[in-house]
Amino acid sequence: MDNKILTSLSYGLYAIGVKGPERPSACIVNTVFQITVSPPVIAVSLNHDNYTNACIRNTGRFSVSVLSENTPAKVIGDLGFKSGLDTDKLKNISYEISSDDLPVIKENCCCWFNCKLVDKIETATHTLFLAEVYSGSDEVKDTPMTYKYYHEVVKGSAPPKAPTYQPENDKLSSVNANYVCKVCGYVYDNPEIPFERLPDSWCCPICKVNKSEFILK
Ligand code: FE
């Protein structure tokens, strides 16, 4: 079997907010799905090494912000490609603290909800957290970003700790790709401006590294 067939599964893009010992933090996940209606229980998968994983274990609570298609790549880069252990990932992001000191994303967020841990399942690399939704926003604004949209329109990729990470060619749409970011996998394929003509000050819109970190594919 080719593991790439699993890339046909559908996902979204979400920010998981947590209360850390020193400051609030958040990370990006693509696996949030509803398990039961009454009570409303959802599941989320997080790598064992993920700082957010440790925070949920400590506090038993987390928030979910459903990101919209208008979410800037910079927000995904700040939350998805850095560690909250040594970085204030929310430093340049508009957010507010909801109940239980949980951060929720304010800009380009379709809706948010807070969750209380009810159970967890361990796998070799990831923890599946089961949690009951107990509060949240009243409506859904804008269009939620799907994982397919993230790959094909935002040109983003999955970091190595994501459950859907593909070691080789994680792209769903890299047929015409030219230059690829070695750090996050972002594909530069703007036909109007050749990569070589981008200014030296240009940096990856996802993870912020400069042009020298891109390789020709
Ligand atoms: Fe990058």
Side-chain angles (χ1 to χ4, degrees):
M1 184 191 92
D2 185 342
N3 284 344
K4 288 188 176 61
I5 64 172
L6 298 178
T7 61
S8 64
L9 295 173
S10 299
Y11 301 97
L13 220 65
Y14 315 96
I16 303 297
V18 290
K19 178 186 179 185
E22 296 180 12
R23 55 181 171 257
S25 189
C27 73
I28 298 289
V29 300
N30 62 322
T31 52
V32 173
F33 54 99
Q34 189 168 2
I35 304 294
T36 62
V37 174
S38 182
V41 171
I42 58 103
V44 58
S45 174
L46 284 163
N47 191 285
H48 291 163
D49 298 332
N50 193 311
Y51 178 67
T52 306
N53 187 319
C55 292
I56 294 175
R57 290 171 185 275
N58 289 337
T59 64
R61 292 175 192 269
F62 61 91
S63 67
V64 178
S65 298
V66 178
L67 303 181
S68 85
E69 288 183 348
N70 297 318
T71 301
K74 132 183 193 327
V75 171
I76 299 169
D78 281 354
L79 299 182
F81 291 89
K82 298 174 182 174
S83 172
L85 185 61
D86 49 22
T87 307
D88 182 0
K89 296 166 73 175
L90 293 165
K91 182 180 177 183
N92 299 313
I93 291 175
S94 177
Y95 72 98
E96 62 185 16
I97 298 296
S98 67
S99 58
D100 294 322
D101 297 326
L102 297 171
V104 295
I105 307 301
K106 284 183 68 177
E107 292 182 353
N108 308 118
C109 176
C110 296
C111 65
W112 61 269
F113 43 87
N114 286 339
C115 306
K116 180 181 180 182
L117 192 62
V118 294
D119 207 348
K120 58 182 186 296
I121 299 167
E122 297 296 345
T123 69
T125 56
H126 289 67
T127 306
L128 186 65
F129 290 105
L130 306 181
E132 182 173 339
V133 179
Y134 64 89
S135 66
S137 47
D138 294 322
E139 59 178 344
V140 177
K141 301 174 184 173
D142 302 329
T143 304
M145 186 186 294
T146 64
Y147 206 45
K148 183 181 177 69
Y149 186 96
Y150 172 61
H151 278 282
E152 295 188 350
V153 180
V154 182
K155 307 294 183 188
S157 186
K161 289 181 182 177
T164 51
Y165 174 67
Q166 293 283 337
E168 298 176 10
N169 188 12
D170 179 56
K171 302 295 164 299
L172 299 179
S173 62
S174 59
V175 176
N176 298 317
N178 290 320
Y179 283 86
V180 178
C181 176
K182 288 190 295 185
V183 177
C184 75
Y186 172 80
V187 179
Y188 184 85
D189 59 357
N190 181 353
E192 296 179 4
I193 306 175
F195 185 81
E196 293 81 357
R197 286 175 50 195
L198 289 170
D200 290 341
S201 58
W202 185 88
C203 62
C204 174
I206 300 287
C207 73
K208 310 291 176 22
V209 298
N210 62 34
K211 285 179 67 179
S212 63
E213 297 295 326
F214 279 68
I215 54 174
L216 186 60
K217 283 277 185 175

